Amino acid sequence: MGNLVSWARSPWGDSVLTHISWDLFWAALVGGLLFLLAHGGYMLFSQHRKRESSEVDRMEAEYKGLPANIMRHSFVSRVFHWVMAFSMLTLLFTAFLPIVGVRFAWVYWHWMAGILLTASVMFHIVHATLVLDFWSIWVGPKDIPEFKAEMLREVGIDAPGPKSGKYPLGNRLYHLAVLVAGLSVIASGILMMWRVRTGIVERNPYILTDATWGLTYVVHGLMGVGFVGLVIAHIYFALRPEKLWITKAMIFGTITRRQYLEHHDPDRWVADKSGSN
């Protein structure tokens, strides 16, 4: 790990981890901005992934029973998304503003936002398991044909492979990255509650060894800087012109029938003809 982490000497003379090097924060910030530039340049030459207008016209005639507006995200799903977004941005600002020289009582707001994030994620797990189509967001070997077809379409080849279901492949891969980073940062963050005075648990820095505390802080820091890049990428894609229909769906809940047929496979995501999710 070299200089990517900081070490200290324990009272017993052992070298123990303390936290990550804050240079990693700057590396994540610069890396995220470079990604934006690289992807923006790539999109200048990329082909559109949606279906041709003539094919969508034919599908509209074939799927006559579809409503004009199709529910993509229920009200509960949208509330969860924006609560998680608010808590995540609060966590990032309270964690990294002090590093860039903005001084304020950040610890209180940080652990409060962490509790909000934890509660929202726990709710989402239950909601996705019991109410939503749980497997629609996951990736696996079954998605290899879709991946190959998408890559061919990117270079302008009219590939016959399947379109995406409810969530495009990029969405599903991003969700997987957020899942790993999110659960890691939540688990390590809950442990760190015993190092600060919150009124929720009794402060006790001796529940873990110095080495385990160091590892906990390093994991929390690594996942935190990881979220810097993930959040930059998320906001970037949400604001891209060709993705605005997805962003609007996260605000208003629905997409149009034509957007549904342009971007999705009706056999993989069967829309409710009543317009509900």
Side-chain angles (χ1 to χ4, degrees), residues 56-122:
V56 178
D57 292 340
R58 178 184 60 76
M59 293 179 72
E60 280 199 299
E62 181 180 351
Y63 293 91
K64 288 183 178 177
L66 290 174
N69 292 296
I70 294 170
M71 181 62 71
R72 194 167 194 269
H73 302 293
S74 66
F75 176 76
V76 173
S77 297
R78 283 176 278 150
V79 169
F80 157 73
H81 176 271
W82 293 113
V83 168
M84 187 180 70
F86 171 76
S87 60
M88 181 58 66
L89 289 174
T90 303
L91 283 164
L92 290 178
F93 282 121
T94 53
F96 295 115
L97 281 179
I99 296 174
V100 300
V102 180
R103 303 297 179 187
F104 64 102
W106 63 274
V107 175
Y108 173 79
W109 297 107
H110 192 75
W111 69 256
M112 289 286 287
I115 289 177
L116 181 61
L117 175 69
T118 302
S120 65
V121 169
M122 295 303 104

Side-chain angles (χ1 to χ4, degrees), residues 33-54:
L33 296 177
L34 289 176
F35 170 78
L36 304 191
L37 293 175
H39 187 271
Y42 164 74
M43 288 302 293
L44 294 177
F45 304 98
S46 175
Q47 303 295 317
H48 291 299
R49 295 186 179 186
K50 64 182 183 182
R51 288 189 170 90
E52 296 291 338
S53 294
S54 58

Side-chain angles (χ1 to χ4, degrees), residues 23 32 46 96 110 122 141 144 152 189 196 269:
D23 289 342
S46 175
F96 295 115
H110 192 75
M122 295 303 104
I144 292 176
L152 290 173
V196 296
W269 174 28

Side-chain angles (χ1 to χ4, degrees), residues 143-186:
D143 297 306
I144 292 176
E146 181 187 343
F147 175 75
K148 289 180 178 178
E150 288 292 343
M151 291 301 100
L152 290 173
R153 292 176 189 130
E154 279 296 319
V155 296
I157 299 174
D158 187 17
K163 282 284 187 180
S164 65
K166 184 173 183 178
Y167 299 101
L169 189 57
N171 276 178
R172 284 173 276 156
L173 291 171
Y174 185 85
H175 177 268
L176 182 61
V178 168
L179 173 73
V180 173
L183 292 182
S184 299
V185 81
I186 285 173

